[in-house]
Structures are given as C-alpha cells and as structure tokens.
Amino acid sequence: YVMGGLKARDPGTGTVIEMDAIQDIDLGFSYLISDQAALFFKTFNIIGKENQRYLNYSTRELQWLAGLSYSF
C-alpha cells in the first residue's frame, strides 16, 4: 500500500511537518498440512524502507513472521 499526505505537529516548535509517503509491500503464504494444521510465513515491508507513520516513531525495515496453526 501507499499512504501519503501525512502531517504531524512538532511538539517542540508547534509547526506542522509534511512527512514522507509510506510505501509498504507485504507477502505471505500458507501450506495446509491437513484439514486441521497449516504452516504459514509472512513478510512485511519487503522494500526495506524505514517509514514514519507517526512523527519520530520509525517502523522496522524488514519483518517476518512464521508459525504453525492448528484447529480443533
């Protein structure tokens, strides 16, 4: 996704700052082992760009998540 037009107020000076647009691409897949179990893998921010959604709070560059899900 792309999110632009972000603005923030600097708490020190009170001025409004125009922030850079956020560009984020995510990718994920699941592998069904059985009707009840599945493995999954997800990556976030494949571009690896450090973004700021909120002023002075940067996001992590490349993130991933892997696991096993099981249904009873």
Side-chain angles (χ1 to χ4, degrees), residues 1-3 22-28 42-49 51 60-64:
Y1 64 88
V2 176
M3 184 183 298
I22 295 174
Q23 301 169 357
D24 191 359
I25 297 176
D26 303 335
L27 179 67
K42 297 179 182 181
T43 59
F44 307 97
N45 198 8
I46 294 174
I47 298 172
K49 182 180 175 191
N51 297 310
R60 298 180 189 254
E61 294 179 359
L62 177 65
Q63 302 174 55
W64 58 272

Side-chain angles (χ1 to χ4, degrees), residues 10-11 19 52 54-58:
D10 187 338
M19 297 173 53
Q52 283 193 12
Y54 302 103
L55 185 63
N56 299 324
Y57 289 93
S58 298

Side-chain angles (χ1 to χ4, degrees), residues 17-39:
I17 299 170
E18 182 79 28
M19 297 173 53
D20 294 335
I22 295 174
Q23 301 169 357
D24 191 359
I25 297 176
D26 303 335
L27 179 67
F29 69 89
S30 296
Y31 176 73
L32 296 176
I33 299 169
S34 68
D35 289 339
Q36 295 177 315
L39 294 170

